[in-house]
Amino acid sequence: MTSIFDSALLNPAPSVVPQRSLLRLISRVRIEVMDALDAELAPFEISSAQMIVLATVANGEADSAAGLCKGISYDPGAMTRMIDRLEQKGLLRRLPRPDDRRTTNLELTEEGTALYPKLAAAKEVVQARFLRGFSADEVRMFEGLLNRMLANR
């Protein structure tokens, strides 16, 4: 089996356009997706970054600021401010942890729980737009390739 390090993907010919490199394309797609998601979420007065925090809590992937920072690679100071804003909007609340008074758990409020399905639907609209023209098999393959990249960290 040939290693990817032996392939032309990582050792492109000098004629390869830098704007088309794999990492540059991934970065561009991320920026475009987040911008589209911001536009789709604007009626709810929620940013894409706030939606990611709400989704992470709603899906049980993290229940603390530290867990959010680790799970989505976010600066702790910025995360504290983000949680403050979501708390001010009445979508998220901090609950004291009985076993550790230095930290708090996070959970969606009733309003956050009611809003979350609308936010998830907005995300699906954006995802469908970016995957327009892809077959179901191509989407599964793309997901698999991205998961393999993440596993290589």
Side-chain angles (χ1 to χ4, degrees):
M1 181 175 193
T2 303
S3 165
I4 190 166
F5 294 105
D6 298 330
S7 76
L9 287 174
L10 291 182
N11 299 308
S15 63
V16 172
V17 179
Q19 292 83 358
R20 293 187 185 155
S21 75
L22 182 61
L23 294 180
R24 169 104 173 151
L25 287 170
I26 290 170
S27 178
R28 284 285 321 232
V29 168
R30 182 188 183 285
I31 290 166
E32 294 295 330
V33 166
M34 297 303 271
D35 286 349
L37 189 54
D38 280 334
E40 197 69 31
L41 294 170
F44 304 107
E45 298 181 2
I46 296 289
S47 70
S48 55
Q50 291 172 337
M51 195 276 187
I52 290 168
V53 168
L54 292 172
T56 303
V57 172
N59 294 325
E61 297 167 34
D63 66 354
S64 67
L68 284 167
C69 289
K70 183 179 178 191
I72 59 178
S73 301
Y74 215 71
D75 172 74
M79 181 59 70
T80 297
R81 292 186 295 278
M82 173 91 63
I83 292 168
D84 288 344
R85 284 190 296 278
L86 290 168
E87 204 170 29
Q88 289 165 0
K89 290 180 181 202
L91 302 174
L92 195 67
R93 72 173 142 249
R94 291 175 170 106
L95 300 170
R97 286 182 64 167
D99 60 327
D100 185 354
R101 293 182 354 177
R102 295 169 297 163
T103 61
T104 58
N105 283 344
L106 301 171
E107 71 177 21
L108 296 184
T109 62
E110 285 183 34
E111 186 177 343
T113 300
L115 179 62
Y116 180 68
K118 296 173 187 171
L119 303 178
K123 178 201 61 103
E124 292 299 321
V125 166
V126 171
Q127 180 172 288
R129 186 179 321 141
F130 277 82
L131 293 175
R132 190 178 317 129
F134 285 75
S135 71
D137 286 341
E138 288 172 325
V139 171
R140 279 191 295 279
M141 182 186 342
F142 189 42
E143 288 171 343
L145 294 171
L146 291 172
N147 279 314
R148 280 176 53 193
M149 287 182 76
L150 288 173
N152 287 335
R153 301 185 271 176

